[in-house]
């Protein structure tokens, strides 16, 4: 009885060691072929993201925020660990079945890698190599283990067999660890951090309007008017950040155009640069949510680039594509209607952070990110909505998606305890490109009172507001609603994020003592 448990434990350990060797070797091969996207765990994770049903993705984004990928990787790691233990236990009695297990995992990784939009056929190599390494390690370990335990039974001098088993085990650990570390280092060298630091952004041909002094409401805990880059929300389908060197970067503008354009990063920097304050927000943002940020962008005029290419009549869509194959469809009419649509290279005075699309991304004020803000963009196809669909519009989201009016109470926070007396209630409201004209607050369903609005540089950013409240002891519910520049009041009706953005009034409950 005890012996079988020890045997199983040993089997589990061999499985984990062989699995570790497999992953390590795969990582090393990934450094030479296919890159990080082809390493099996990343490839399977990315395939998982693509295959995940929308409702689940929605839940993931909502609950894990930008950590959704970390959660996915940890779950995948755990699943692989459990599978490796099972394979190791099975392999003690049925080596062929164990080998088939690692073979199947290798094939799964290879399939996932080669079906990624950016995966060429070489993307199968890391998973295949890893699978083979796992099989070799497993076979050697199981054979050595069998010999060592046979020796135990016939009570021969067993030192040699034991030593042999330990040596093979240690060897597999060293090979797996070293190739994993080495692969990781080599992949790390492909990071574009150094190239990004070396980028010298040109000065703007057209400066942003000065942000008025009072744009920032001075209330403790209030959201900053300009979101610092490290705090800017991040939403994308990329499991590892695309590392796009500005030296290799090329933008193609093609499709229904008179003169297809090819632009290097240097060419792009030679275009007249516009500097603009624009608030970006995500269609997945819930009422009261944090998937919105405001930055000072620097970029070339997208309409000017499209005019250089000469958009043919009949075209109504720009289908933009990032290096990792993700696509976004944007109405040409919106891009060209006079708003400051940008091919951005700078964010708050520095080159775009890698997480926000280095070296270049689109920004169109007034449209949700999923129909306008392609990061790591390399391709603009001028086309028709009738011909081409994009990543999210294939998955049930709307093609036309102007940002809906939202307002949010930032202080006091929900469930805060405040002292009775004058309490500043402050927050943020946005209706990009239409602007915010009125913000109203009411307490416990009472009459609406107009908040004081902070000045803004234009209609493309969010707007802060504040209202002094005479707080009386007890529990109270504060509600907010905004009116946009067209006179439309933010709808009270709660609608979900799918298919074109949530609506509803934000409220917080506070206790006054
Ligand atoms: N390449 C790429 N670009 C993308 C996305 C993506 O998944 N991949 N997501 C879009 C969505 S849904 C949003 S809301 C914005 C978010 O931009 P941020 O991460 O810089 O805030 O990027 C857009 N651009
Ligand atoms: Mo988004």
């Amino acid at each position: 009885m005890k012996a079988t448990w020890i045997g199983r434990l040993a089997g589990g350990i061999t499985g984990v060691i062989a699995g570790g060797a497999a992953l390590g070797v795969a990582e090393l091969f990934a450094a030479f072929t296919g890159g990080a996207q082809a390493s099996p765990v990343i490839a399977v994770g990315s395939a998982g993201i693509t295959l995940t049903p929308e409702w689940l993705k929605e839940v993931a984004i909502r609950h894990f925020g930008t950590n959704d990928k970390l959660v996915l990787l940890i779950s995948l790691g755990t699943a692989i660990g459990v599978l490796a233990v099972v394979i190791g236990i099975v392999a003690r009695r049925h080596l062929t079945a164990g080998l088939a297990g690692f073979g199947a995992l290798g094939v799964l990784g290879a399939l996932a890698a080669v079906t990624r939009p950016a995966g060429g056929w070489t993307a199968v190599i890391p998973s295949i190599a890893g699978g083979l390494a796992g099989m070799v390690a497993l076979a050697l370990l199981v054979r050595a283990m069998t010999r060592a335990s046979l020796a135990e039974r016939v009570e021969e001098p067993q030192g040699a067999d034991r030593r042999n088993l330990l040596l093979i085990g240690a060897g597999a650990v060293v090979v797996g660890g070293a190739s994993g570390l080495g692969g990781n280092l080599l992949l790390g060298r492909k990071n574009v951090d150094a190239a990004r630091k070396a980028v010298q952004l040109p000065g703007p041909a057209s400066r942003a309007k000065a942000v008025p002094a009072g744009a920032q409401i001075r209330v403790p805990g209030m959201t900053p008017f300009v979101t610092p880059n490290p705090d800017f929300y991040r939403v994308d389908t990329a499991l590892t950040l695309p590392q796009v060197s500005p030296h290799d970067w090329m933008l193609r503008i093609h499709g229904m155009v008179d003169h297809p354009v090819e632009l290097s990063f240097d060419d792009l920097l030679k275009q007249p640069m516009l500097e603009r304050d624009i608030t970006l927000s995500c269609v997945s943002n819930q009422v009261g949510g944090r998937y919105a940020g405001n930055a000072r962008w620097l970029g070339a005029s997208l309409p000017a680039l499209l005019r250089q290419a000469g958009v043919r009549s009949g075209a109504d869509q720009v289908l933009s594509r990032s290096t990792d194959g993700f696509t976004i469809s944007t109405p040409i009419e919106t891009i060209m209607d006079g708003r400051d649509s940008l091919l951005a290279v700078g964010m708050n005075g520095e080159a775009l952070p890698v997480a926000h699309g280095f070296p270049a991304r689109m920004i169109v004020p007034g449209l949700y990110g999923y129909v306008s803000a392609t990061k790591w963009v390399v391709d603009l196809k001028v086309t028709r909505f009738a011909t081409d669909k994009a990543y999210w519009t294939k998955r049930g989201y709307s093609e036309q998606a102007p940002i809906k009016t939202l307002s949010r109470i930032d202080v006091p926070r929900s469930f805060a305890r405040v002292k009775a007396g004058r309490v500043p209630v402050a927050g943020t409201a946005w209706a990009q490109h239409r602007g915010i004209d009125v913000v109203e607050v009411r307490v416990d369903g009472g009459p609406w009172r107009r908040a004081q609005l902070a000045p803004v540089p234009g209609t493309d950013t969010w707007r802060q507001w504040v209202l002094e409240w005479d707080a009386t002891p007890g529990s109270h519910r504060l509600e907010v609603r905004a009116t946009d520049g067209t006179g439309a009041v933010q709808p009270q009706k709660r609608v979900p994020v799918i298919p074109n953005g949530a609506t509803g009034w934000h409220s917080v409950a506070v206790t006054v003592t």
Side-chain angles (χ1 to χ4, degrees), residues 11 29 32 40 45 64 75 78 100 122 144 155 162 191 272 280 306 321 351 377 401 411 430 438 462:
F29 274 81
F32 293 103
F64 309 128
S75 327
T78 313
T122 51
E155 285 182 48
R162 279 261 165 102
N191 280 354
L280 181 63
L306 289 173
R321 180 182 299 274
V377 64
V411 275
W430 59 86
V438 178
W462 56 20

Side-chain angles (χ1 to χ4, degrees), residues 318-341:
V318 169
L319 181 75
S320 48
R321 180 182 299 274
S322 67
T323 38
D324 64 346
F326 179 84
T327 50
I328 277 180
S329 62
T330 311
I332 290 183
E333 205 189 333
T334 313
I335 295 177
M336 311 284 271
D337 73 357
R339 69 187 76 201
D340 292 313
S341 312

Side-chain angles (χ1 to χ4, degrees), residues 73-379:
L73 285 178
I74 291 174
S75 327
L76 261 177
T78 313
I80 291 172
V82 169
L83 278 174
V85 168
V86 171
I87 289 175
I89 292 173
V90 169
R92 274 174 66 236
R93 302 248 179 279
H94 314 280
L95 181 58
T96 332
L99 294 178
F102 272 122
L105 287 180
V107 170
L108 180 71
L111 279 178
V114 80
T115 53
R116 296 305 80 228
W121 71 269
T122 51
V124 303
I125 296 175
S127 294
I128 300 293
L132 289 175
M135 290 162 87
V136 171
L138 187 70
L140 289 175
L141 281 165
V142 168
R143 268 182 39 209
M145 196 163 50
T146 315
R147 261 196 232 120
S149 56
L150 278 181
E152 211 164 292
R153 253 172 248 156
V154 293
E155 285 182 48
E156 276 173 11
Q158 28 168 284
D161 290 315
R162 279 261 165 102
R163 225 174 294 129
N164 198 23
L165 172 60
L166 284 178
L167 272 176
I168 291 176
V173 169
V174 168
V175 167
S179 45
L181 274 177
N184 222 293
L185 278 176
L186 287 170
L187 283 171
R189 264 207 232 134
K190 295 196 175 149
N191 280 354
V192 293
D193 299 346
R196 176 176 172 270
K197 289 225 171 66
V199 167
Q200 299 231 329
L201 293 178
S206 162
R207 286 205 172 281
K209 286 213 189 84
V211 173
Q216 177 68 55
I217 297 280
R218 308 257 163 228
V219 168
M222 186 51 194
T223 306
F225 180 77
V226 178
T227 315
N229 289 354
D231 302 339
F232 206 96
Y233 81 96
R234 175 187 161 205
V235 169
D236 56 58
T237 59
L239 199 45
T240 55
L241 287 175
Q243 304 287 326
V244 187
S245 161
H247 309 296
D248 306 336
W249 183 87
M250 265 292 205
L251 179 75
R252 293 203 325 129
I253 307 178
H254 62 108
M256 297 172 71
V257 295
D258 293 330
H259 331 278
V261 171
E262 282 204 351
L263 210 67
S264 71
F265 192 62
D266 284 338
D267 298 336
L268 175 57
L269 294 188
K270 285 188 195 121
Q271 310 286 318
M273 288 285 143
L274 313 182
E275 181 192 53
R276 294 291 183 267
D277 292 320
I278 299 169
T279 297
L280 181 63
S281 53
C282 181
V283 71
S284 295
N285 186 63
Q286 300 288 334
V287 170
R290 305 252 143 207
Y291 289 146
N294 182 46
R296 175 159 291 189
W297 308 94
L298 181 78
S301 155
L302 193 54
L305 287 170
L306 289 173
R307 273 194 291 271
Q308 281 175 32
V311 172
R312 294 214 172 126
S313 69
D316 57 7
Q317 183 208 150
V318 169
L319 181 75
S320 48
R321 180 182 299 274
S322 67
T323 38
D324 64 346
F326 179 84
T327 50
I328 277 180
S329 62
T330 311
I332 290 183
E333 205 189 333
T334 313
I335 295 177
M336 311 284 271
D337 73 357
R339 69 187 76 201
D340 292 313
S341 312
L342 302 179
L343 191 64
V345 293
M347 182 177 182
N348 290 330
E350 49 179 282
L352 288 176
V354 173
H356 298 290
F358 181 76
R361 74 174 304 170
M362 281 177 43
I363 293 286
V364 181
L367 297 184
Y368 284 121
Y370 84 99
V371 286
S372 69
T374 320
K375 304 191 273 189
W376 316 291
V377 64
V378 287
D379 191 287

Side-chain angles (χ1 to χ4, degrees), residues 3-26:
T4 55
W5 273 111
I6 289 173
R8 274 193 203 140
L9 180 65
I13 292 172
T14 36
V16 169
I17 291 175
L23 289 180
V25 167

